[in-house]
């Protein structure tokens, strides 16, 4: 482990940590990858022996946040903790997986086997390595947003001894993983979000139809040369599950045309929002996170869409789709094409290790507080509540005040969850051990 850099952002003292970890924790002989973590502390408390809170960000394929200011949940956390922001393996500065890396594999089988090492079980093993080797070995708490909640349940299944408390926002997974069941539940919610969008902005019904009719001609190019298809345009609806998503989509559509043609502004913005240039693993692993035992995921989102003609490209009003990944994306989107063959193989894979241990979770003793957003477009509230009933020592806070990004929009969300744990006498963090020892043992601040 090395400290790659130490610096100060106003209100935050930052240390960058770099470690080598096995690519495959079950077979270390397969080689290593690099893992990057960012430690943040209140500058005036840098010398204090503070407990750690690790943020498990959304995804899959999510890198740690890059804070611009001390605000929101981070400000609340820094009052009592050192905060650890990890770039999940394959993202950001942690041996990033991109199209160039995927294209370098000599076979599809090797590429798929590589991708299979980037699920929640490996992420938990990475965090346990960091906890023990970089952060002194004391227990820490976690804040899991969205997919971070999936990781939390894997953590509680595999290494609960490393945890003092867990906070989850919009991310309790079903304990019987099934991509088909997830999409059966979420498509109706996406359809409802579309109706709400068009009620708020009724004039956009005609504008969206006009855009779709123009795209159907098949000759509209994005700045990178990709053809912008109707179905790629529909995927902009992924943003409808976020608090400002309706407005972001509205203003994008507002400037769609320059005369009779789609504007350069519109085409550039669509490319930015749909290219997956910053997070290709999100698309590549999106259904594989539900892989379980001998059940193949089998492009479940596409199969469910095929059963719903209201989402057809020629339907009017045109409906946008949500957090769904489709096989055609790996043909139409330049950044994803190198992943195509490996992802096709993963979709048929029938050998997946279990991520959750229902028996162990049932007797869980680590305090868990979870915010369940009643109208969440991404993670079905019904599945979340079923899981909550099957995990010991778990409290839920059910609310329709927030969308999926509630913890990022309002610092009261994290504060409420920590209060729930405190009120039941939980969340007593182990103080970090050997802080000075860590700083003096073979590390250097650059």
């Amino acid at each position: 482990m090395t400290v790659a850099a130490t610096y100060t952002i106003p209100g935050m003292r930052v240390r960058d940590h770099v470690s080598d970890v096995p690519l495959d924790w079950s077979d270390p002989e397969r080689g290593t990858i690099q893992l990057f973590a960012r430690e943040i502390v209140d500058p005036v408390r840098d010398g204090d022996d503070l407990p750690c809170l690790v943020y498990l960000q959304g995804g899959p394929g999510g890198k740690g946040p890059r804070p611009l200011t001390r605000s929101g949940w981070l400000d609340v956390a820094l009052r009592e903790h050192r905060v650890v922001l990890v770039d999940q393996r394959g993202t950001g500065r942690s041996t990033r997986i991109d199209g160039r890396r995927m294209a370098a594999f000599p076979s599809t089988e090797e590429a798929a086997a590589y991708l299979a090492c980037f699920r929640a079980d490996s992420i938990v093993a990475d965090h346990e390595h960091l906890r023990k080797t970089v952060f002194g070995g004391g227990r820490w708490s976690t804040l899991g947003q969205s997919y971070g909640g999936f990781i939390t349940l894997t953590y509680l299944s595999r290494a609960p001894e490393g945890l003092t408390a867990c906070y989850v926002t919009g991310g309790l997974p079903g304990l019987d993983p099934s991509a088909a069941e997830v999409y059966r539940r979420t498509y109706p919610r996406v359809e409802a979000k579309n109706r709400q969008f068009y009620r708020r902005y009724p004039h956009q019904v005609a504008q969206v139809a006009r855009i779709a009719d123009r795209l159907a001609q098949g000759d509209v190019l994005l700045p990178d040369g990709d053809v912008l298809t109707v179905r790629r345009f529909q995927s902009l609806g992924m943003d409808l599950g976020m608090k400002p998503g309706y407005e972001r989509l509205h203003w994008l559509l507002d400037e769609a045309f320059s005369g009779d043609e789609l504007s350069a502004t519109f085409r550039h913005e669509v490319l930015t929002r749909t290219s997956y240039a910053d997070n290709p693993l999100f698309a590549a692993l999106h259904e594989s996170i539900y892989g379980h035992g001998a059940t193949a995921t089998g492009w479940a989102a596409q199969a469910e869409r095929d059963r719903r003609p209201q989402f057809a490209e020629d339907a009017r009003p045109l409906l946008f789709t949500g957090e769904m990944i489709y096989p055609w994306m790996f043909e139409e989107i330049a950044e994803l094409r190198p992943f195509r063959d490996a992802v096709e193989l993963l979709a048929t894979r029938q050998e997946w290790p279990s991520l959750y241990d229902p028996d162990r979770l049932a007797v869980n003793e680590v305090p868990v507080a979870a915010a369940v957003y009643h109208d969440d477009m991404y993670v079905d509230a019904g599945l979340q509540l079923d899981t909550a009933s099957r995990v010991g020592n778990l409290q839920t806070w059910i609310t329709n005040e927030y969308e999926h990004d509630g913890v990022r929009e309002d610092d009261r969300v994290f504060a409420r969850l920590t209060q729930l744990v405190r009120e039941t006498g939980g969340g007593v963090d182990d103080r970090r051990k050997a802080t000075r020892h860590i700083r003096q043992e073979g590390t250097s601040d650059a």
Side-chain angles (χ1 to χ4, degrees):
M1 181 276 293
T2 60
V3 177
T6 302
Y7 48 94
T8 300
I9 298 172
M12 298 175 280
R13 184 67 168 163
V14 184
R15 285 183 180 83
D16 294 346
H17 299 277
V18 179
S19 297
D20 289 331
V21 296
L23 166 66
D24 184 347
W25 282 96
S26 67
D27 184 7
E29 297 301 317
R30 291 181 63 184
T32 62
I33 57 175
Q34 196 169 81
L35 189 66
F36 175 83
R38 183 167 283 119
E39 172 192 351
I40 303 179
V41 65
D42 186 320
V44 302
R45 304 199 67 187
D46 192 16
D48 294 351
D49 196 16
L50 298 171
C52 288
L53 171 76
V54 60
Y55 182 69
L56 304 174
Q57 67 271 15
K63 64 184 179 183
R66 270 60 175 167
L68 302 177
T69 62
R70 177 172 169 166
S71 60
W73 71 264
L74 180 59
D75 178 55
V76 176
L78 287 173
R79 298 169 194 172
E80 298 182 355
H81 297 86
R82 293 180 185 273
V83 174
V84 182
L85 307 176
V86 181
D87 284 352
Q88 292 174 13
R89 53 171 47 210
T91 75
R93 291 175 60 184
S94 293
T95 308
R96 188 174 187 274
I97 298 178
D98 54 19
R100 183 185 308 173
R101 184 175 296 273
M102 293 305 297
F105 285 101
S107 71
T108 299
E109 290 74 18
E110 290 177 71
Y114 187 82
L115 286 177
C117 294
F118 289 78
R119 298 203 312 157
D121 48 354
S122 298
I123 294 171
V124 167
D126 291 342
H127 280 74
E128 276 295 276
H129 172 80
L130 289 174
R131 184 180 67 82
K132 295 173 182 176
T133 64
V134 179
F135 292 99
R139 294 187 300 159
W140 58 17
S141 53
T142 64
L143 170 58
Q145 157 65 11
S146 190
Y147 180 63
F150 291 46
I151 298 170
T152 300
L153 269 290
T154 302
Y155 213 142
L156 290 168
S157 295
R158 290 173 172 259
E161 66 278 4
L163 303 169
T164 56
C166 298
Y167 311 101
V168 176
T169 56
L172 289 177
L175 294 186
D176 306 303
S178 167
E181 178 64 12
V182 165
Y183 296 118
R184 185 187 70 79
R185 289 170 175 258
T186 52
Y187 267 98
R189 203 172 298 278
V190 173
E191 188 174 353
K193 297 290 186 182
N194 273 271
R195 290 196 299 268
Q196 186 174 345
F197 174 75
Y198 284 133
R199 281 196 301 269
R200 187 177 297 184
Y201 303 111
H203 63 287
Q204 295 294 10
V205 173
Q207 178 79 329
V208 169
R210 183 186 176 197
I211 294 170
D213 290 344
R214 178 64 189 88
L215 296 179
Q217 298 177 35
D219 60 350
V220 176
L221 299 183
L222 294 172
D224 66 348
D226 280 348
V227 175
L228 177 55
T229 60
V230 176
R231 56 192 180 184
R232 183 166 176 177
F233 171 59
Q234 287 175 278
S235 72
L236 289 166
M238 185 179 294
D239 205 20
L240 293 178
M242 302 295 187
K243 182 72 171 181
Y246 292 95
E247 284 60 56
R248 281 195 291 255
L249 181 57
H250 164 67
W251 291 122
L252 173 64
L253 300 172
D254 186 64
E255 294 187 273
F257 282 96
S258 177
D260 293 330
E261 293 300 324
L262 291 166
S263 69
T265 298
F266 174 79
R267 289 182 287 112
H268 176 80
E269 186 61 28
V270 170
L271 174 64
T272 300
R273 298 190 193 188
T274 65
S275 71
Y276 295 95
D278 190 47
N279 60 342
L281 269 187
F282 177 87
L285 291 179
H286 202 77
E287 292 199 0
S288 293
I289 66 173
Y290 300 106
H292 177 73
T295 303
T297 54
W299 295 116
Q302 183 66 58
E304 187 63 31
R305 180 175 181 169
D306 291 342
R307 288 189 281 269
R308 297 178 181 272
Q310 62 269 41
F311 283 92
E313 297 168 55
D314 58 356
R316 299 294 183 270
L318 185 74
L319 296 185
F320 293 96
T321 53
E323 193 182 36
M324 291 96 176
I325 299 297
Y326 304 106
W328 55 262
M329 290 178 167
F330 298 88
E331 296 281 355
E332 294 185 9
I333 300 176
E335 296 288 343
L336 299 183
R337 286 185 198 119
F339 290 82
R340 181 192 59 192
D341 293 344
V343 171
E344 286 284 357
L345 190 57
L346 287 180
T348 64
R349 181 171 177 162
Q350 295 180 321
E351 297 177 1
W352 293 106
S354 296
L355 297 174
Y356 314 122
D357 185 337
D359 294 334
R360 195 170 195 181
L361 291 172
V363 296
N364 169 62
E365 296 182 353
V366 178
V368 183
V372 176
Y373 304 129
H374 184 269
D375 300 320
D376 199 324
M377 190 180 84
Y378 302 95
V379 185
D380 179 72
L383 280 178
Q384 292 191 68
L385 293 176
D386 176 72
T387 293
S389 72
R390 299 165 62 185
V391 178
N393 208 18
L394 188 152
Q395 302 179 76
T396 56
W397 167 40
I398 306 168
T399 176
N400 65 355
E401 185 177 355
Y402 301 99
E403 295 287 352
H404 188 70
D405 54 350
V407 74
R408 293 194 291 265
E409 291 293 314
D410 192 336
D411 58 11
R412 291 178 298 175
V413 172
F414 178 58
R416 175 68 182 274
L417 295 178
T418 57
Q419 179 185 2
L420 285 175
V421 169
R422 286 195 188 100
E423 288 176 349
T424 57
V428 180
D429 294 295
D430 281 355
R431 297 299 171 182
R432 275 187 45 175
K433 302 287 196 304
T435 301
R436 295 183 180 83
H437 175 76
I438 294 171
R439 300 278 158 73
Q440 294 171 3
E441 285 282 321
T443 65
S444 61
D445 290 354

